[in-house]
Amino acid sequence: MTQELFREDSYLRECAARVVSADEAGVVLDRTVFYPLGGGQAGDAGELVLADGRTLAIADTRKCKDAEGRPTAGILHVPATGQEAVLAALRAGDEVTARIDWARRFRHMRFHTATHLLCKLVPQLVNGCSITADYARLDFNMTDPLDKDALTQGIAGLVAAAHPVAIGAIGDAELDANPALVKSMSVQPPRGTGRIRTIRIGDEVDYQPCGGTHVANTREIGAVVVTKIEKKSASTRRVVLGFA
């Protein structure tokens, strides 16, 4: 099991950790600040700093899977190519410093929070999501047209209002009693642990289950614009966001 420090504090840039396992597939640590691909958000990149000062560049982060392909409680730090010697030097129990590419992560955080603002402006269910360092997109289950300029102005207003963004949690029973909190058709919150992580923006802007990384206040998002609106199917409208 990997302790997921990013769940409670998205602003952590590095942490001390111990190696659980290391092979050609990647490195599993006992704790990490690296967010793994999931919920539409890209996995983190960065580096692991060994005790002797050598670094292992991490190109991606994924959830570990069992033999049947089901996610487990471990997080796999996937190394960039050409680092076989450094990777081979790692042993279980070794101490390392896990350090994310902060500039890239912060763009993920800004975009992810911006998609929640978009959910406020477009209340239909989401049936697809992608959050990267270069763009974010949401696919809405709807047939009505959307106005690019109106959405850009709406997001700008919510950003300027400086709404606080708070991490919380609810239980399975509370979510079952409030199914409308789930706004995604394609990604369902994990159940069974008794604790489902939530994100709340302001008093009435947005409130829904979410495991991703976010800024602490909407003003940190900065200038975001709707770069494209596409009709992906008869019942899907795609909204793409970019930084101005």
Side-chain angles (χ1 to χ4, degrees), residues 41-42 104-112 131-133:
Q41 181 174 325
R104 182 173 180 271
R105 156 68 81 75
F106 192 52
R107 290 174 73 90
H108 292 172
M109 291 164 59
R110 292 164 62 200
F111 268 140
H112 201 150
I131 297 159
T132 75

Side-chain angles (χ1 to χ4, degrees), residues 3-12 32-33 35 105 109 165-169 195-199 210-216:
Q3 184 182 1
E4 301 175 341
L5 301 179
F6 54 84
R7 300 290 186 196
E8 300 303 325
D9 187 352
S10 297
Y11 289 83
L12 286 176
T32 190
V33 292
Y35 179 89
R105 156 68 81 75
M109 291 164 59
V165 181
I167 299 171
R195 184 180 187 275
I196 299 169
R197 186 176 184 266
T198 61
I199 294 295
C210 181
T213 60
H214 291 272
V215 296

Side-chain angles (χ1 to χ4, degrees), residues 34 45-49 55-58 97-101:
F34 281 70
E47 62 182 12
L48 302 183
V49 184
T55 61
L56 181 72
I58 301 301
T97 297
R99 181 178 297 146
I100 59 172
D101 179 339

